[in-house]
Amino acid sequence: MTQTMQHPRRTRLAWWRGPSAGNRLAFTAFLAPAVVYVLAYFAYPAIQNVIMSFQDYSATTFFTGEAPWVGLQNYRDVFGSPIFGTTVLNTLLFTAGSIVGQFVIGLLLAIFFSRRFPLNSVLRALLLLPWLIPLISSSSIWRWMLDPESGVINYVLLQLHMISTPIPWLTSPSLALLAVVIVNVWLGIPFNVTILYGGIKEVPSELYEAAALDGATGVRAFRYITWPLLRPVVTIVLVLGVIYTLKVFDIIIGLTGGGPANSTQTLATNSYQLSFGQFLFGQGAAVSNILIVFSMLFAALYLFRTRRQADAA
């Protein structure tokens, strides 16, 4: 019995020195840069941000190197801020409006492009243009288009006699959030079209042919064939869309800067302004941590759904 027993350390050494030891070393060598990258650029900033949210980290810290520990005081200040409720509500409205608009228009376009017609590929390629334009450039273009005096949108509406006076898209507290949502919908349509189009093309054509024999065409075919088979893709699109939209920052800063009167202020823009506008880095870190918690909830939902789909397959 003593002859069959092996020392644990020898077993581990044998695992590394065995026939496939070279493969394991190569695997580790290829994996190490990715691990170092994730730790350096994701894990460390996230941990440092959490620590900063419990400190009185301000502009003077860069000169003195001192950041006194204040515990939950930054979170108390954030939750007690008069605009915190507004930022949370704006974040929810902005996210919900953007997701609904992107998904509905993206799904309709994906269904449209799933049919064969001339220039199909060319038009689908043109839909990717919003992805190719930098976000700051997109916000500058839209800011000019939505300008109440010289904007092309008000000019067209006036020429068509749809309005009698220019609409203050970005300067009215009641319209600014809607304008920002419209721009973000325009930016998110290519992602939704691309993913949903791929899902629709994966549906076997034999199912539509069999359903047509029973009279299930058009809307009925979509309801009983396309939608049930597309549901896993829809879940992924919606969850990833929510995670991305929660942290949208560039477009809002470029269009309105969070104004007017905080009508477009979200958690992402509020964190930026607290940190780099008022130099209250501790409170800015606290707001960003709240935003991270929201994103992690939807990320957990995404992982849960993908695991269930993998188990079902």
Side-chain angles (χ1 to χ4, degrees), residues 4-5 8 15 33 57 60 62 70 112 116-117 128 161 184 187 197 204 237 250 263 267 289 293 301 313:
T4 58
M5 294 180 60
W15 184 84
Y57 208 103
T60 58
F62 294 99
V70 295
F112 172 73
R116 293 184 178 181
F117 59 88
L128 298 179
H161 302 288
N184 196 57
L187 286 170
Y197 173 81
V237 169
D250 313 68
S263 59
L267 290 173
N289 286 334
V293 170
L301 175 62

Side-chain angles (χ1 to χ4, degrees), residues 26 62 81 117 130 159 167 176 228 246 250 309:
F62 294 99
S81 172
F117 59 88
Q159 294 300 315
I167 300 177
L246 281 173
D250 313 68
Q309 294 170 9

